[in-house]
Amino acid sequence: MRHFLTLKEYSKEEILEILNLGLEIKAEVKAKTFVPRLVNQTLAMIFEKSSTRTRVSFEVGMYQLGGHALFLSNRDIHLGRGEPLKDTARVISSMCDMVMIRTYEHSKLEEFASYSKVPVINGLSDSYHPVQLLADYMTMMECGKDINPIVAYIGDGNNMAHSWLMLASKLGFELRVATPKGYECDPIVIADAMRFAEESGAKITITNDPKVAAKGATVVTTDTWISMGQEEEKTQRLLAFQGYIVDDALMGLAAENAIFLHCLPAYRDVEVSESVLEGAQSLIFEEAENRLHAQKGLMVWLDKHR
Ligand code: CP
Ligand code: NVA
């Protein structure tokens, strides 16, 4: 049985297998020849943080696959009142076929998984957001941007930056991460990525200069400067990130036909200008829709590997 907590535990072949399965299922849905693959299965979805895309895509995805999803906010279940995670894990995994968790500390996901009898999926932790990267790469595959891409991630060294580091270093493509001083990625994650890059041939550049990252990039991406749980740091973060907005000037440094991605929610004219977000190079809504298709591929893949 496999869990899906980070891309660290996955090989290039496995990541591509999940994505190709997702694309196959997407084509079936569009052709209305869809075959439900997880009939009568249940997915428990535990949310300790807000969500629009993750909740809707997993719930709709499980329904379309022939199963059922349960939305469990920590305000409703006893986890939020102090019932131990290890008890919650054993109870829920004795009744459900799969579990998705959105939480704060990544260690909580690991603890839950260690007590779970069924596959556990990371629906975002403070450290990683791997299901988002499945959708992002699927979007790149669909428009041919998976061929020798140069990805520029500009912004906070957060869960999204960490997940890009894992994806690039596993798949072997070029990634430049530009963050302000003091907001760099976790050195342990960078070290892991560098180690994987040696095997895969990925080229990883870590810089504090957004222009260095953007120059000639074929994919430009960013994320909010204030992640969930960091609301109190808003004032100091807005100051520290000055000059990191992805606007027309920065996009102008990228390759002519570069695409723009953002996991959303986006804050207009903060980390990205309205013009880039709504512009012709932006594929943000294709990317958001792909959450549904990529995660269906993931759930079917996890079911096959138990
Ligand atoms: N991108 C993403 O995970 O969105 P939500 O927070 O809306 O789930
Ligand atoms: N970095 C953001 C991603 C939201 C999908 C956060 O953790 O809030």
Side-chain angles (χ1 to χ4, degrees):
M1 182 184 80
R2 299 284 295 277
H3 300 297
F4 190 77
L5 305 188
T6 78
L7 294 169
K8 236 188 315 191
E9 297 93 30
Y10 279 76
S11 68
K12 173 176 182 169
E13 291 68 32
E14 288 171 336
I15 295 168
L16 294 178
E17 229 175 82
I18 292 167
L19 287 167
N20 285 321
L21 192 53
L23 283 168
E24 203 183 297
I25 296 170
K26 180 173 181 178
E28 286 172 8
V29 178
K30 302 268 167 188
K32 301 211 186 305
T33 56
F34 175 62
V35 188
R37 288 165 160 89
L38 298 180
V39 177
N40 293 339
Q41 294 212 24
T42 47
L43 171 74
M45 307 187 298
I46 302 176
F47 282 93
E48 295 199 307
K49 293 175 174 171
S50 310
S51 169
T52 299
R53 282 141 287 268
T54 305
R55 180 189 175 171
V56 175
S57 55
F58 271 109
E59 189 162 336
V60 170
M62 197 37 145
Y63 176 77
Q64 290 182 348
L65 289 168
H68 177 76
L70 296 85
F71 173 73
L72 307 170
S73 127
N74 73 330
R75 283 182 296 280
D76 304 318
I77 58 174
H78 284 283
L79 188 63
R81 295 180 59 244
E83 182 167 16
L85 196 64
K86 58 185 180 182
D87 294 357
T88 308
R90 283 174 284 186
V91 170
I92 291 181
S93 73
S94 72
M95 300 182 200
C96 296
D97 300 293
M98 235 174 254
V99 183
M100 184 244 89
I101 307 175
R102 168 167 284 197
T103 189
Y104 292 87
E105 300 90 347
H106 191 75
S107 56
K108 281 195 190 167
L109 269 158
E110 291 171 336
E111 186 188 345
F112 194 105
S114 73
Y115 284 96
S116 173
K117 298 184 201 62
V118 300
V120 176
I121 300 171
N122 178 1
L124 182 146
S125 67
D126 285 346
S127 310
Y128 296 101
H129 195 7
V131 286
Q132 179 67 50
L133 269 288
L134 292 179
D136 293 6
Y137 198 70
M138 179 179 272
T139 311
M140 287 165 61
M141 287 165 90
E142 288 179 321
C143 62
K145 293 291 186 226
D146 58 324
I147 301 154
N148 298 324
I150 303 175
V151 179
Y153 174 94
I154 294 158
D156 191 16
N158 61 12
N159 44 13
M160 279 302 296
H162 290 167
S163 302
W164 274 108
L165 279 167
M166 285 304 121
L167 186 76
S169 63
K170 284 288 181 156
L171 297 192
F173 61 79
E174 180 166 356
L175 172 70
R176 302 151 178 182
V177 178
T179 60
K181 285 203 171 66
Y183 294 91
E184 286 93 352
C185 292
D186 181 341
I188 297 171
V189 178
I190 296 177
D192 280 343
M194 293 302 184
R195 193 161 39 84
F196 296 138
E198 269 175 36
E199 287 165 35
S200 68
K203 187 175 171 211
I204 310 284
T205 306
I206 308 289
T207 174
N208 296 120
D209 187 343
K211 294 197 182 93
V212 166
K215 198 162 184 291
T218 57
V219 178
V220 179
T221 185
T222 184
D223 183 20
T224 179
W225 296 341
I226 300 128
S227 284
M228 289 179 273
Q230 298 174 335
E231 290 76 9
E232 283 175 13
E233 298 171 32
K234 185 173 177 180
T235 313
Q236 79 210 50
R237 282 181 164 266
L238 288 179
L239 270 176
F241 283 78
Q242 285 316 301
Y244 282 77
I245 182 172
V246 178
D247 56 11
D248 292 316
L250 203 62
M251 271 312 273
L253 298 175
E256 203 182 333
N257 56 358
I259 59 166
F260 174 76
L261 297 177
H262 190 311
C263 65
L264 304 180
Y267 298 88
R268 285 165 163 76
D269 298 322
V270 182
E271 74 272 9
V272 55
S273 68
E274 168 90 21
S275 55
V276 169
L277 199 69
E278 298 284 358
Q281 288 166 285
S282 172
L283 292 184
I284 54 169
F285 295 112
E286 287 82 351
E287 179 188 3
E289 183 191 323
N290 278 335
R291 293 290 304 275
L292 172 67
H293 309 299
Q295 289 160 196
K296 278 162 64 176
L298 173 64
M299 289 191 282
V300 172
W301 192 93
L302 289 171
D303 183 53
K304 274 192 190 171
H305 288 79
R306 64 166 111 219

